[in-house]
Amino acid sequence: MRKSLVRKNLAIGLVITTVITTLSVIMADDGSRMEELKMSLMVGLLVTGTVTGGTWLLQRKRSAP
């Protein structure tokens, strides 16, 4: 169960990151599309990594004898 929960969080986070990045780039009207892309990817991947890592650590703690 531990691996499936971590994989699920990772998949959800990557989908959310992709959607937010796409919307940010589409909505950038002032020519800063690359800056928006970099910032959205950086923030999205940081949040995804934090949530996935936190879930992994919690599951690891709970399953330790």
Side-chain angles (χ1 to χ4, degrees), residues 1-63:
M1 178 174 143
R2 174 178 49 166
K3 289 182 182 178
S4 66
L5 185 60
V6 171
R7 286 181 185 165
K8 181 176 133 184
N9 283 346
L10 182 60
I12 291 171
L14 292 176
V15 168
I16 291 171
T17 299
T18 303
V19 169
I20 290 174
T21 301
T22 303
L23 290 175
S24 296
V25 170
I26 290 172
M27 292 172 50
D29 291 332
D30 58 354
S32 63
R33 290 182 187 262
M34 284 308 291
E35 290 177 24
E36 288 291 331
L37 176 69
K38 288 178 186 176
M39 184 60 84
S40 295
L41 282 175
M42 185 173 60
V43 170
L45 293 175
L46 181 66
V47 170
T48 300
T50 302
V51 169
T52 304
T55 303
W56 179 76
L57 285 173
L58 284 174
Q59 292 296 324
R60 188 173 175 211
K61 267 187 175 178
R62 289 182 184 166
S63 66

